[in-house]
Amino acid sequence: MLIRRAKVRVETERLTLRPPSHSDFRSWTDLRSKSRAFLEPWEPTWAPDHLSRKSFTNRVYWAQRTISAGSALPLFLFRRSDEALLGAITIDNIRRGPAQDATLGYWIGEPFARQGFMSEAIRAAVHHAFHALDLSRIQAACLPENASSRGCLEKSGFKYEGVAQSYLQINGRWRNHVLYANLRSDRRGKTDAG
């Protein structure tokens, strides 16, 4: 199934989720720069040009290509009241066929953390993935000591599934991650096959 939704827009009570655009460069760079110390312990090591316009332009083109191909849905989070960029959430590694699943990744800028924005965004993104993208399972992973991220996933309906050894390189080291999943309730144990 080809997904041609370059103009995807998901609205919640406080947020608008939409793909990044070239005009978001300054807001994105400012927020990432101000939040660097807050984000670095939880993310892959930033490339030397991470905050450059060229890097951001590549990010926007990647978003457009993956949305068109149906392989990912990268979204920026904006507060509806003032259109401030708060962070990002990505439904990635979309697999079709018998899996119908994807992975979820996200980050939020330090000034907006612990205000319920990310839980709201996760619930909206998962609802969109289940109903607009027709997925059945969304997986997410975080560092075991990231209590905020774990709590956010649990509040958003994700269930703990286990530990993946040396799952991702985070801040320059291979790190174990705890795994979570959210299953589409109307499909648990059901299939149209057979």
Side-chain angles (χ1 to χ4, degrees):
M1 175 165 88
L2 212 56
I3 303 166
R4 285 178 274 173
R5 295 188 178 105
K7 296 186 181 190
V8 174
R9 189 176 191 90
V10 178
E11 302 279 345
T12 71
E13 182 181 344
R14 299 183 296 165
L15 302 172
T16 297
L17 286 65
R18 65 156 174 81
S21 68
H22 296 287
S23 62
D24 298 323
F25 171 69
R26 188 167 309 280
S27 298
W28 181 84
T29 301
D30 290 347
L31 183 58
R32 295 285 293 175
S33 183
K34 288 176 190 169
S35 303
R36 186 174 192 144
F38 175 73
L39 295 171
E40 279 186 328
W42 317 113
E43 294 189 352
T45 302
W46 291 14
D49 69 342
H50 179 73
L51 298 174
S52 72
R53 181 169 289 281
K54 180 180 180 187
S55 178
F56 186 78
T57 298
N58 290 338
R59 183 178 307 275
V60 171
Y61 287 138
W62 173 83
Q64 292 169 348
R65 281 191 314 274
T66 60
I67 291 169
S68 292
S71 60
L73 181 60
L75 302 168
F76 278 8
L77 284 55
F78 295 91
R79 187 167 48 198
R80 290 177 66 180
S81 62
D82 60 2
E83 298 185 16
L85 175 64
L86 309 184
I89 190 165
T90 301
I91 299 166
D92 203 353
N93 304 311
I94 295 173
R95 294 188 311 158
R96 295 298 177 181
Q100 295 295 336
D101 73 352
T103 57
L104 183 76
Y106 50 87
W107 65 270
I108 193 154
E110 186 172 19
F112 309 109
R114 296 174 187 84
Q115 297 175 45
F117 290 119
M118 190 50 72
S119 295
E120 188 173 329
I122 289 172
R123 285 190 299 273
V126 168
H127 183 271
H128 183 82
F130 287 163
H131 300 286
L133 303 180
D134 200 34
L135 298 177
S136 294
R137 176 185 171 86
I138 308 294
Q139 295 136 179
C142 62
L143 293 173
E145 66 272 22
N146 191 341
S148 293
S149 192
R150 293 181 77 164
C152 190
L153 288 169
E154 290 165 5
K155 278 188 254 177
S156 302
F158 282 73
K159 305 291 184 221
Y160 174 81
E161 291 197 321
V163 176
Q165 303 294 316
S166 298
Y167 185 70
L168 291 173
Q169 289 185 53
I170 299 296
N171 202 14
R173 290 181 40 225
W174 285 101
R175 301 291 310 274
N176 296 347
H177 281 61
V178 288
L179 303 176
Y180 285 84
N182 194 332
L183 308 177
R184 185 169 162 175
S185 62
D186 65 334
R187 290 196 177 156
R188 292 181 189 205
K190 298 176 185 174
T191 181
D192 293 333

